[in-house]
Structures are given as C-alpha cells and as structure tokens.
Amino acid sequence: MALKPLTEPVFFVLLALHDAPRHGYGIKQEAAELSDGRVDLRVGTLYGVLDRLTADELVEHDHDEVHQGRLRRYYRLTLEGRRALEAENARMAANVQAAEQRLTGSPAAGAAAAPAPPTSRGRARPAGAGGTA
C-alpha cells in the first residue's frame, strides 16, 4: 500500500525529529530553519500535527523535562516515522527529477534515446524540384 504524500508541515516536523528528540518549541524552530522560514508552525497547528503523528505511530513521547517551572514534552521519530520520511523524500526526489527532465528537455534516466527520423532512400532532389513520385 502506497503511503499518502505528507503535507509540508508534517514533512518538516518529521525531518526536525530525524536526528534527535525535541520539544514542541524546538520542533517549531528546527522546522522553520530547515524550510528556510517557509514553515512557521503556530502552536495549535504544531500540537495538532504532533497528536496526529502520535496517533499514526510516526512519532512517540520520548521524555518530559521541567524547564523554568514549565513542562517540556519531548518527541522522537519512530521506525515507521523514519520510513514515512524516507518514502516522502524519495517521492519528492522523483518529482524533482521528472520536472528537471521536462524543463531541460533531457530524456529520462534509463530511457532509450528517441529514434532517429527516417531517412529517404533513393536520390535526393534539389530544392525546388517538383515532380510526382
């Protein structure tokens, strides 16, 4: 069964958790940095994404830590989350490759070169020479 494509915020949340467990604010900052500021997760959006990813078993609770009197909940990527991230990365890479091939006019990797146009057999007529065959 093929996985559903991930939304950009979900992709960057998973990517933010790829190398280490993080708490919500750390995930928000990492996602913004990784996306060059394109993904600016609001608190409600972030925790909604984390709740869905936890329910889908793509992330899980790692540990809690008290910092300046406030509880920080840390999340980590699960094996299934890592697989989903890798699958999405491969899907997007294939899309980029297809777009580059289309935009540059180069054939797809592994595709046979376009067949040569047919050549005429027999004598070539000078330009402007009429006649019927």
Side-chain angles (χ1 to χ4, degrees):
M1 178 175 156
L3 295 173
K4 262 178 43 176
L6 303 177
T7 64
E8 193 171 35
V10 168
F11 176 78
F12 281 105
V13 166
L14 293 177
L15 191 57
L17 293 170
H18 180 263
D19 59 346
R22 287 190 165 75
H23 56 80
Y25 187 69
I27 294 169
K28 175 185 170 32
Q29 289 179 307
E30 189 72 9
E33 184 178 320
L34 289 167
S35 69
D36 258 355
R38 286 187 318 278
V39 175
D40 182 21
L41 296 165
R42 298 188 189 281
V43 172
T45 302
L46 172 62
Y47 286 100
V49 166
L50 287 170
D51 286 346
R52 282 192 306 278
L53 291 174
T54 300
D56 292 342
E57 299 181 349
L58 300 180
V59 302
E60 62 190 5
H61 174 254
D62 186 70
H63 69 278
D64 293 329
E65 181 180 286
V66 177
H67 179 74
Q68 297 179 347
R70 298 190 70 175
L71 182 67
R72 286 183 172 173
R73 174 157 287 178
Y74 283 73
Y75 296 87
R76 70 173 168 244
L77 204 54
T78 64
L79 181 57
E80 284 304 311
R82 193 168 305 278
R83 287 181 181 150
L85 181 59
E86 290 168 355
E88 182 66 6
N89 188 56
R91 185 190 72 80
M92 289 190 305
N95 287 348
V96 168
Q97 183 180 18
E100 286 176 348
Q101 289 166 354
R102 175 59 61 101
L103 294 171
T104 63
S106 63
T119 57
S120 96
R121 296 185 184 199
R123 280 185 337 162
R125 287 187 251 198
T132 58

